[in-house]
Each structure stands twice: as structure tokens, then as C-alpha cells.
Amino acid sequence: MNDDYDYRATFDFSQNDLKAIERAVAILEEKFSILGDYDETDLPDGVPFYPRDEVFISKATDLLRRERDIFEHDDWVDIDEIRGHMLSVAQLRPFLVRLRALIEQGESNLRDLLCEAHDACLMGVFTLERQRPHLKELPALHEVGTWRGPNVMKLLGDTSLLDEDELREAKGGDAAA
């Protein structure tokens, strides 16, 4: 991160900004809820789709549209529905690419900010230990700082940003297991 950056104003959102972000996320959640729950195993044989699959669908749709009369009485093939799905894919992709990049950038910045905050707190705790070694809060801080002890999860509170290894370690399990 930039050492000249003013961390106090990292994300100074106005209430209007926060409401606009909330509305945008709510719209995305509503649109995606129509599709149902996402489960990778619901795909045929769990196989993900690749760009070549889209090329196939695009070329096949053109061919099927040209030969549409064959499918007049076939309920299994709806060319307009296929085209509608592909239009949705084309609409969604640019936004999903931007969202994915934004999430990656946000997580990277979050780690950087947490690292800076952690280092500063660590230095402060070391100073406190030297100046006032009998503070009651120091054992609890050591417990959280080393991920050891029965009260770590209670002290952490919100654990939504922790990955599985960190959660396992915080609960007392071996992170390497």
C-alpha cells in the first residue's frame, strides 16, 4: 500500500453513497434469486462451461433457427429460449467481470489494511507489556493474537472474513490437518 495514504479516510462514504450501494446489491440479489440456489454439482456431471461451449451454442442456435421447421412439434427445443439465455449471458458477463475484479481488489486492500492495523496494535501491546505488565486485558489479547485458547471465537465476534483454515485454528483444531 501507499505509505503516504491517509488511512483515516479510507472509505468515507456518505449516507447517500451507502444507500445507492445497498440498492445496487439488492437488485443483484433479486435478479440472481430468480435463478435459484447455485450448486456446482447441479451442472451435468459437475462439468463447468468454457468459452468453446458458448461458441458451440451460438453456432448451433444459428443453424437451428435456419432449420426451425424441424422443431415445430418438439417441446424439448425452444430456440427463442436458448437465444434469451445467451442474451442474458452476454448482459451479465461484463458486470460479473467487473464485480470479480472489485472483490479481488477489495479483499487485497482489506488484507493490507488489516496487516497495517495488526502491526500497529502489536507494537502498542508490546509497549504496554513493558510499561504495564499486569494489565488484565493482556492475556485476552495474547489469546486472540496467537489464536489459542477457549475464548478466541467469542472475542473475535464476526468471523465472516476468515477462511476455513483460520476458523479451524481459532476453534482449537490443527490448521494443517
Side-chain angles (χ1 to χ4, degrees):
M1 292 199 71
N2 183 354
D3 289 335
D4 297 331
Y5 188 75
D6 181 5
Y7 295 104
R8 293 168 297 181
T10 303
F11 286 109
D12 190 15
F13 289 117
S14 70
Q15 287 301 315
N16 288 338
D17 290 341
L18 292 173
K19 287 178 184 174
I21 292 168
E22 176 60 35
R23 280 193 304 271
V25 170
I27 289 169
L28 286 172
E29 289 172 339
E30 179 185 336
K31 293 295 181 182
F32 280 99
S33 71
I34 294 168
L35 301 175
D37 292 333
Y38 171 76
D39 185 2
E40 209 172 88
T41 59
D42 283 347
L43 295 174
D45 299 323
V47 177
F49 288 95
Y50 297 101
R52 70 172 188 266
D53 298 307
E54 286 186 48
V55 171
F56 165 76
I57 294 168
S58 176
K59 291 187 179 296
T61 305
D62 291 340
L63 174 67
L64 295 175
R65 195 173 58 229
R66 266 197 331 264
E67 305 295 330
R68 182 176 223 126
D69 59 328
I70 296 173
F71 301 105
E72 278 182 24
H73 304 291
D74 190 342
D75 294 335
W76 287 93
V77 179
D78 185 343
I79 299 163
D80 293 330
E81 183 179 348
I82 296 168
R83 290 183 66 226
H85 290 322
M86 295 310 290
L87 287 171
S88 294
V89 167
Q91 268 187 321
L92 277 174
R93 177 167 291 110
F95 295 111
L96 294 178
V97 167
R98 287 174 58 199
L99 284 172
R100 190 177 299 120
L102 185 61
I103 288 169
E104 288 172 3
Q105 181 183 9
E107 287 178 345
S108 175
N109 285 325
L110 180 70
R111 282 189 298 274
D112 289 345
L113 290 169
L114 284 171
C115 185
E116 294 279 342
H118 181 267
D119 288 349
C121 286
L122 201 56
M123 296 308 294
V125 168
F126 284 153
T127 302
L128 274 176
E129 279 184 324
R130 285 198 306 270
Q131 303 298 324
R132 295 185 182 90
H134 301 298
L135 281 177
K136 293 178 184 176
E137 293 87 358
L138 286 177
L141 288 175
H142 282 296
E143 191 172 315
V144 175
T146 59
W147 294 90
R148 305 275 185 261
N151 298 316
V152 173
M153 293 302 287
K154 183 169 60 173
L155 291 168
L156 285 175
D158 178 15
T159 59
S160 62
L161 295 174
L162 299 178
D163 64 25
E164 289 180 25
D165 290 340
E166 290 170 322
L167 281 172
R168 190 173 25 254
E169 190 173 340
K171 290 178 182 174
D174 185 9

